[in-house]
Amino acid sequence: MSMRQTIADKLTAAYAPSVLNVIDESDRHAGHGGWREGGETHFRVQIASSAFEGMNRLARHRAINDLLAEELANGVHALALEIRSDSEPDPRAA
């Protein structure tokens, strides 16, 4: 299973998100620290879930980093997180 799919599966199981995008941005980091041939080293996660209601930004980031600790220790070099609760507007919406 790909690292992208592993991340998506774990986030889905833990948070039942209404929105989930796991984007492999490794190609943008070729030659930078942590990059390796084949990618799957740099990811952006866009997630919305009612589970994040009442959590501040730091708590949200810690929760996801804790959930994905194994992946971060085994090949994922960078993880950009865009986290919101279902009641918050999508900042990317026009």
Side-chain angles (χ1 to χ4, degrees):
M1 180 180 319
S2 72
M3 184 66 75
R4 190 200 70 74
Q5 190 61 53
T6 298
I7 291 169
D9 289 351
K10 281 190 161 185
L11 291 170
T12 298
Y15 299 111
S18 59
V19 173
L20 179 60
N21 296 305
V22 179
I23 305 157
D24 186 347
E25 296 183 336
S26 302
D27 60 329
R28 295 181 176 182
H29 300 275
H32 297 180
W35 179 86
R36 68 177 180 275
E37 194 68 39
E40 297 218 307
T41 56
H42 295 71
F43 291 91
R44 176 170 304 277
V45 171
Q46 300 165 332
I47 186 170
S49 172
S50 60
F52 299 120
E53 195 69 47
M55 294 173 72
N56 66 30
R57 183 177 178 188
L58 182 58
R60 292 172 182 184
H61 280 252
R62 283 182 176 160
I64 289 182
N65 284 330
D66 288 348
L67 179 70
L68 301 177
E70 183 177 341
E71 289 71 26
L72 289 165
N74 293 299
V76 173
H77 177 74
L79 188 63
L81 300 173
E82 299 174 19
I83 310 165
R84 64 184 176 87
S85 69
D86 286 334
S87 65
E88 296 171 318
D90 184 346
R92 296 176 313 271

